Amino acid sequence: MHSKAVMRVDPIVTGTDFMTHLVELPPTHPGFADPAYRERRDAIATLARRWRPGQPLPRAPYSADEHAVWRGLWAELSAAHAELACPELLACERTIALPSHRIPQLAEVEARLIAATGFRLAPVAGLVSARAFFTRLAAGHFMSTQYVRHASRPRYTPEPDVIHELVGHAASLAHPGVAAVSRRFGQVACVADEPGLIRLARVYWFTLEFGLCETPDGVRAVGAGLLSSVGELRGIESGPQLCSWDLETIASTAFDTQRFQDRLFVGPRFPAMLRALSDWLDAEESRARQLGPRTVLSHSA
């Protein structure tokens, strides 16, 4: 599986493809030629598009096959996390207590997340802009898809699905430090110009999406993209180049969302990593304010 959660492009909900579906899929997507899958994507996208803040979170009517995809991946991910996940985030997984046998509804995960850190979930139909994603973080809202990846390629998804959102992000956001830093990313994005937003997106990508940290037992995964990807998590030691952690270098490093990462950055111990991120974000906010005020773009989930 390859996961992504920021630098998402503008919504791919256009209905312009050859079957006039609500959610447009590229021909390379595993579900492109599967009419039943595309109908499921449309139905779940409709739930999100009809939802408005303040309303109860919509319940997605998951099928037996979709629950089976979750069960199969959960078994693999649980074993991989025990070996390769950052210990502090393993503790958060126990706090969120995602069920292993079925896909949980957003509402039940949100209730545990609110109790842990106050973060809420906001359903979204598909990919959204980086600006929209970040500014919702500033309000303590994580934008979450609800669809399930195609069953033919359960270890890969071309865009974030509910497995990535809940196993990767929701569990991590139960950590007070991750929740606080996530809000700071959003707050800084609200005053950043476009070059500043690109810097934020790169640092977010290589830390909270695909970050690693040092532990007494070796390098462990921090990023949600790694924690929700069996292939990338298992391939940390043999696949990507592991680079020294320097936030200015990271802010200048582009990334590709369409393939496994060819480089990852290894941060210090997890608490020190969060402190360094917080300090860097403070400096970015000061830099953005010195450049002058900007108008925050309006958006809808």
Side-chain angles (χ1 to χ4, degrees):
M1 182 191 82
H2 181 48
S3 306
K4 57 197 74 65
V6 72
M7 286 302 285
R8 307 176 183 200
V9 296
D10 287 333
I12 55 168
V13 184
T14 64
T16 59
D17 62 34
F18 80 107
M19 294 182 70
T20 319
H21 282 273
L22 174 64
V23 177
E24 181 184 1
L25 301 180
T28 55
H29 193 284
F32 181 77
D34 184 340
Y37 179 79
R38 303 194 72 167
E39 288 179 12
R40 296 287 299 151
R41 286 291 298 269
D42 286 350
I44 292 175
T46 298
L47 293 175
R49 287 171 65 81
R50 289 176 176 170
W51 179 83
R52 294 294 180 269
Q55 296 178 345
L57 293 174
R59 290 183 58 84
Y62 295 118
S63 68
D65 288 343
E66 287 166 334
H67 286 303
V69 171
W70 172 278
R71 281 196 303 275
L73 275 176
W74 181 258
E76 291 188 75
L77 285 169
S78 295
H81 285 190
E83 297 176 34
L84 299 168
C86 168
E88 289 89 343
L89 297 185
L90 278 176
C92 292
E93 291 181 6
R94 292 189 286 273
T95 298
I96 293 297
L98 297 173
S100 61
H101 63 290
R102 64 174 176 85
I103 305 167
Q105 295 292 333
L106 294 189
E108 61 185 292
V109 178
E110 183 188 66
R112 297 180 185 131
L113 197 51
I114 291 171
T117 62
F119 245 88
R120 293 181 175 273
L121 300 177
V124 63
L127 304 179
V128 301
S129 70
R131 179 82 65 189
F133 175 76
F134 278 131
T135 52
R136 290 301 291 270
L137 286 181
H141 297 161
F142 181 81
M143 301 177 82
S144 175
T145 57
Q146 291 178 277
Y147 78 92
V148 184
R149 65 196 62 180
H150 196 263
S152 67
R153 297 180 69 186
R155 294 174 181 82
Y156 174 85
T157 177
E159 75 273 76
D161 74 332
V162 70
I163 298 171
H164 170 71
E165 313 286 37
L166 299 186
V167 176
H169 283 288
S172 299
L173 285 166
H175 188 284
V178 174
V181 166
S182 296
R183 285 189 176 93
R184 286 296 290 138
F185 268 104
Q187 291 160 1
V188 178
C190 287
V191 298
D193 58 10
E194 292 308 309
L197 187 66
I198 291 172
R199 286 169 56 84
L200 286 172
R202 288 171 173 171
V203 171
Y204 186 95
W205 182 264
F206 285 115
T207 58
L208 298 189
E209 271 295 347
F210 284 93
L212 299 167
C213 74
E214 296 282 2
T215 76
D217 298 316
V219 173
R220 294 292 182 266
V222 170
L226 293 171
L227 294 173
S228 58
S229 172
V230 176
E232 288 186 277
L233 191 54
R234 290 292 188 189
I236 286 173
E237 294 183 352
S238 59
Q241 176 187 0
L242 300 186
C243 304
S244 299
W245 206 68
D246 176 79
L247 286 169
E248 279 304 307
T249 298
I250 293 171
S252 301
T253 302
F255 57 86
D256 187 346
T257 66
Q258 298 302 311
R259 57 182 173 82
F260 279 24
Q261 303 304 295
D262 58 9
R263 73 178 71 182
L264 297 173
F265 292 86
V266 181
R269 300 281 185 90
F270 189 61
M273 181 179 181
L274 292 178
R275 286 195 299 271
L277 274 173
S278 182
D279 290 343
W280 183 85
L281 288 165
D282 288 346
E284 283 296 291
E285 183 175 34
S286 296
R287 171 184 171 275
R289 293 189 184 281
Q290 288 171 5
L291 292 174
R294 66 172 301 279
T295 300
V296 177
L297 301 178
S298 62
H299 65 278
S300 58

